[in-house]
């Protein structure tokens, strides 16, 4: 598996799109820090961007890679290599190279502007961690879609829809349901619904650091326990791990059955 | 205020002069001829000084019924054995300096205090350490006093069975400076107190409020710090209060505020820093208050306006990285928000005069939604919410449409 990972990783690292992605974050990081002049405000702005952008890039890039690497995959399948090894290797190659672009692209400008000396280091670290999680999750979802659908247009369509649903529509439905069922106790419900969407989950993970004073304004015992102690942090990271595990498991299952 | 200071200094100077020239000094220690404070007070004449040497004194209630100076040498410990109050002074010109007073009894009927001053004028309480108190310093119907450099602490668990650090009732012209108050119910409590001044105190980890005004007019508090209390300062049913250069920090919780204003008029709130509170200032039924040059940094809500607030002026304040800048619960607005700096402002300044060309709307639609359905707070900073806020910004439907800062600053106000 490591060999395959290495091949896809080097293949991607050499590709133009990785550089573009890396350069985008580099420019974004420098621009934000230059315009905002304070590291803490840049972290807040960056959070809004990362939460929306990393899943989108992850899905599109993931789908694109699995479609374009189809011939390479067929070649590999002719060799005496385990199927799961091939697909997991490819998946990890894509996810790792995207994560590397993200971490380096943002890490360099923030390091230049002295994030290590600032108290924002933990917030920034958390931001990178949740960005990486989102990349891994959405690349896995994208590869599921690409493996399932031979038709590229259909695959792209599904991938973009999934991103749009998770990033925007889901929150809209969530908000409507909260407003409609206003008369009922909703704190457990809202926590569970948040757990069911990785984008919301990583948003909460960052909010726990940035907006804890506002989150503690709500008078529910469940909220208080979740946000007031470390429970929230550990629970969120735990569920994000599960969220990464499930699509990866499905890659394995689909690839085992699929007929090329 | 200045005149008052001069009067106080003169009185104090006169007193100490007087005691040096004519008064006797009585020494108390465990091996002296007079070994208890009670005995020393009984033998003392008006204006005498009682020197209390270091040691452990457990004498129950000690009643000071004539003008005396109680001076501790090397911090003598006066212990109440958790039964009742300890020092009770009902005479004028009492000075209590340099003592450790500890273990006050808890009562649900009586207000036991480490130092209880009643019907006294020109009293001075300085350099004392009050530990495990119920009430720390309780002052009633007294005037022209100085409470300086004391440390008051307790281990309050709930509001019912705990008392206040410095408790004032029906008093006037008191100066409270440089005290450290922790783990009490209220750090400092004012009820019917006028013309008094609170400065340079630190009030920390108190159950209810760091500083609490009830029915108290013409008071001021400067340069204090209020950290991690139920609420930093509560000002209720009071008029003409000046609040300047204070710091309100990390007052967190579902009913926690940096500053709680309820039914107050004609106050000045200037140069304060509100940092990381759940709600920076909570305003209810307050009129003609000027908010100037305050900094609101990373609060949940910088300002929450509940209703009945008229003719308030918010001018030259900095609103930096708050989750919500201003929250309103109605569509009516009679307050003005001008010349402030808002870190969320996204407008431009083409004529380069430092003032944004586009008005800023500090009330977001989402803050209205959170008022209606508190659980929605979990959607804070979601992309969908940003889209909603944007559409409301373009054409206000739910938020007061005349609530705008027409002249937002482009740069942070120094």
């Amino acid at each position: 598996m490591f060999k395959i990972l290495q091949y896809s990783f080097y293949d991607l690292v050499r590709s133009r799109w990785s550089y573009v992605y890396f350069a985008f974050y580099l420019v974004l990081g420098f621009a934000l820090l230059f315009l905002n002049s304070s590291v803490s405000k840049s972290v807040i702005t960056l959070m809004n961007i990362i939460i929306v952008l990393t899943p989108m890039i992850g899905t599109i890039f993931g789908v694109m890679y699995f479609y374009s690497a189809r011939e390479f995959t067929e070649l590999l399948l002719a060799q005496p290599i385990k199927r799961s090894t091939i697909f997991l290797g490819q998946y990890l190659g894509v996810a790792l190279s995207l994560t590397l672009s993200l971490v380096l692209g943002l890490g360099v400008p923030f390091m230049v502007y002295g994030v290590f000396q600032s108290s924002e280091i933990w917030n920034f670290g958390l931001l990178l961690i949740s960005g990486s999680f989102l990349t891994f999750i959405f690349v896995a979802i994208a590869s599921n879609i690409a493996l399932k659908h031979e038709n590229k247009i259909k695959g792209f369509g599904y991938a973009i829809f999934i991103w749009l649903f998770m990033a925007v529509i889901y929150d809209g439905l969530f908000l409507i349901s909260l407003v409609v069922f206003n008369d009922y106790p909703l704190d457990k419900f809202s926590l569970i619904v948040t757990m069911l969407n990785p984008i919301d989950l990583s948003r909460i993970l960052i909010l726990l650091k940035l907006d804890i004073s506002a989150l503690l304004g709500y008078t529910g015992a469940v909220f208080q326990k979740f946000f007031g102690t470390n429970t929230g942090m550990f629970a969120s990271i735990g569920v994000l791990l599960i969220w990464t595990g499930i699509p990866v498991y499905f890659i394995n299952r689909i690839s085992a059955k699929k007929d090329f | 205020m200045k005149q008052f200071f001069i009067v106080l200094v003169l009185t104090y100077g006169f007193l100490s002069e007087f005691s040096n020239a004519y008064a006797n000094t009585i020494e108390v220690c465990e091996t002296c001829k007079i070994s208890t404070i009670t005995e020393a007070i009984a033998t003392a004449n008006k204006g005498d000084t009682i020197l209390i040497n270091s040691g452990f004194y457990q004498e129950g209630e000690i009643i000071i019924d004539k003008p005396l100076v109680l001076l501790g040498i090397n911090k003598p410990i006066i212990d109440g054995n958790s039964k009742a109050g300890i020092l009770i002074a009902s005479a004028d010109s009492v000075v209590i300096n340099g003592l450790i007073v500890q273990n006050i009894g808890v009562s649900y009927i009586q207000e036991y205090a480490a130092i209880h001053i009643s019907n006294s004028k020109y009293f001075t309480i300085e350099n004392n350490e009050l530990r495990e108190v119920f009430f720390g310093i309780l002052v009633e119907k007294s005037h022209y006093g100085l409470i300086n450099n004391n440390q008051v602490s307790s281990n309050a668990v709930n509001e019912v069975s705990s008392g206040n650090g410095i408790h004032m009732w029906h008093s006037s012209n008191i100066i409270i400076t440089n005290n450290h108050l922790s783990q009490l119910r209220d750090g400092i409590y004012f009820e019917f107190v006028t013309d008094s001044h609170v400065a340079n105190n630190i009030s920390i980890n108190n159950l209810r409020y760091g500083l609490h005004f009830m029915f108290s007019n013409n008071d001021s508090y400067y340069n204090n710090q209020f950290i991690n209390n139920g609420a930093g300062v509560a000002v209720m049913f009071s008029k003409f209060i000046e609040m300047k250069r204070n710091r309100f920090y990390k007052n967190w919780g579902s009913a926690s505020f940096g500053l709680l204003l309820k039914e107050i008029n004609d106050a000045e709130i200037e140069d304060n820093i509100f940092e990381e509170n759940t709600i920076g200032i909570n305003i209810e039924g307050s009129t003609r208050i000027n908010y100037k040059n305050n900094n609101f940094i990373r609060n949940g809500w910088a300002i929450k306006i509940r209703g009945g607030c008229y003719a308030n002026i918010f001018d030259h304040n900095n609103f930096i990285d708050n989750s919500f800048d201003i929250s309103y619960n109605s569509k009516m607005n009679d307050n003005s928000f001008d010349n402030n700096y808002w870190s969320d402002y996204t407008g431009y300044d083409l004529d380069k005069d430092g003032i944004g060309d586009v008005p800023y709307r500090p009330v977001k639609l989402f803050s209205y939604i959170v008022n209606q359905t508190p659980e929605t707070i979990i959607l804070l900073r979601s992309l969908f919410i940003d889209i909603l806020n944007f559409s409301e910004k373009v054409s206000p439907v739910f938020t007061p449409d005349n609530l705008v800062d027409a002249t937002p600053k482009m740069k942070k106000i120094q």
Side-chain angles (χ1 to χ4, degrees), chain A residues 41 120 171 203 211 213 218, chain B residues 323 375 378 380-382:
Chain A
K41 208 190 157 201
E120 295 296 321
D171 286 355
R203 188 169 50 76
D211 291 276
S213 43
Y218 176 69
Chain B
S323 305
E375 289 87 355
I378 206 161
L380 185 67
R381 291 191 198 281
S382 149

Side-chain angles (χ1 to χ4, degrees), chain B residues 62-66 86-92 94-96 114-120 123 125 138 140 142:
Chain B
I62 298 169
I63 293 163
I64 306 165
D65 52 1
K66 52 194 126 179
I86 303 182
L87 293 164
I88 300 171
S90 53
D92 289 350
V94 170
V95 177
I96 298 172
I115 299 173
H116 185 156
I117 307 278
S118 91
N119 294 302
S120 166
F123 64 88
I125 301 171
L138 179 68
E140 55 177 12
S142 299

Side-chain angles (χ1 to χ4, degrees), chain B residues 63-131:
Chain B
I63 293 163
I64 306 165
D65 52 1
K66 52 194 126 179
L68 287 175
V69 177
L70 264 66
L71 198 58
I73 294 166
N74 295 329
K75 295 263 173 189
I77 296 171
I78 304 177
D79 191 284
N81 203 14
S82 305
K83 280 202 179 117
I86 303 182
L87 293 164
I88 300 171
S90 53
D92 289 350
S93 309
V94 170
V95 177
I96 298 172
N97 191 334
L99 307 176
I100 294 177
V101 186
Q102 64 182 26
N103 296 330
I104 313 303
V106 173
S107 163
Y108 295 91
I109 308 160
Q110 301 248 295
E111 291 169 332
Y112 291 138
I115 299 173
H116 185 156
I117 307 278
S118 91
N119 294 302
S120 166
K121 280 180 183 153
Y122 315 111
F123 64 88
T124 305
I125 301 171
E126 257 185 316
N127 308 323
N128 300 295
E129 207 179 311
L130 314 179
R131 303 192 290 219

Side-chain angles (χ1 to χ4, degrees), chain B residues 251-272:
Chain B
N251 297 295
W252 276 358
S254 53
S256 283
F257 319 100
L259 174 56
L260 169 64
L261 302 177
K262 189 171 165 60
E263 310 296 333
I264 94 158
N265 302 331
D266 304 290
E268 305 288 330
I269 301 176
E270 286 176 25
D271 303 301
N272 300 291

Side-chain angles (χ1 to χ4, degrees), chain B residues 179 181 199-204 210 222-227 229 232-233 245-249:
Chain B
N179 300 291
L181 309 140
N200 301 321
N201 300 290
I202 297 173
S203 198
I204 184 167
Y222 294 173
N223 301 321
N224 302 289
Q225 295 204 48
F226 304 100
I227 302 167
N229 302 297
V233 176
R245 298 186 299 277
N246 300 291
R247 183 160 178 258
F248 304 81
Y249 183 58

Side-chain angles (χ1 to χ4, degrees), chain B residues 40-285:
Chain B
I41 292 170
T43 55
N45 293 314
K46 272 186 185 179
D48 285 356
T49 298
I50 297 173
L51 290 181
I52 305 168
N53 282 296
S54 64
F56 188 81
Y57 301 88
Q58 202 174 60
E59 308 175 16
E61 288 185 345
I62 298 169
I63 293 163
I64 306 165
D65 52 1
K66 52 194 126 179
L68 287 175
V69 177
L70 264 66
L71 198 58
I73 294 166
N74 295 329
K75 295 263 173 189
I77 296 171
I78 304 177
D79 191 284
N81 203 14
S82 305
K83 280 202 179 117
I86 303 182
L87 293 164
I88 300 171
S90 53
D92 289 350
S93 309
V94 170
V95 177
I96 298 172
N97 191 334
L99 307 176
I100 294 177
V101 186
Q102 64 182 26
N103 296 330
I104 313 303
V106 173
S107 163
Y108 295 91
I109 308 160
Q110 301 248 295
E111 291 169 332
Y112 291 138
I115 299 173
H116 185 156
I117 307 278
S118 91
N119 294 302
S120 166
K121 280 180 183 153
Y122 315 111
F123 64 88
T124 305
I125 301 171
E126 257 185 316
N127 308 323
N128 300 295
E129 207 179 311
L130 314 179
R131 303 192 290 219
E132 310 294 314
V133 299
F134 182 48
F135 281 81
I137 300 167
L138 179 68
V139 178
E140 55 177 12
K141 297 203 166 174
S142 299
H143 310 278
Y144 305 103
L146 173 67
I147 298 175
N148 179 36
N149 197 24
N150 300 291
Q151 289 195 30
V152 187
S153 63
S154 186
N155 48 4
V157 183
N158 61 47
E159 285 186 14
V160 186
S161 64
S162 55
N164 305 325
I166 298 175
H167 184 102
M168 299 275 175
W169 184 70
H170 266 295
S171 299
S172 71
N173 297 295
I174 314 280
I175 292 185
I176 300 174
T177 50
N178 303 315
N179 300 291
H180 188 281
L181 309 140
S182 62
Q183 297 245 306
L184 301 144
R185 184 172 64 191
D186 287 350
I188 303 171
Y189 179 84
F190 275 31
E191 192 168 340
F192 305 110
V193 177
T194 56
D195 304 297
S196 295
H197 184 60
V198 179
N200 301 321
N201 300 290
I202 297 173
S203 198
I204 184 167
N205 299 335
N206 296 300
L207 284 185
R208 199 166 64 182
Y209 305 131
L211 169 59
H212 188 176
F213 289 90
M214 295 293 281
F215 314 105
S216 296
N217 303 331
N218 300 89
D219 299 310
S220 59
Y221 62 96
Y222 294 173
N223 301 321
N224 302 289
Q225 295 204 48
F226 304 100
I227 302 167
N228 194 22
N229 302 297
V233 176
V235 184
M236 300 179 179
F237 306 98
S238 301
K239 291 175 202 161
F240 306 105
I241 309 278
E242 284 181 25
M243 323 178 195
K244 293 180 182 171
R245 298 186 299 277
N246 300 291
R247 183 160 178 258
F248 304 81
Y249 183 58
K250 279 205 177 169
N251 297 295
W252 276 358
S254 53
S256 283
F257 319 100
L259 174 56
L260 169 64
L261 302 177
K262 189 171 165 60
E263 310 296 333
I264 94 158
N265 302 331
D266 304 290
E268 305 288 330
I269 301 176
E270 286 176 25
D271 303 301
N272 300 291
I273 298 173
F274 297 87
E275 206 175 345
E276 293 184 43
N277 303 293
T278 296
I279 297 173
I281 308 185
N282 188 70
I283 311 169
E284 208 173 328

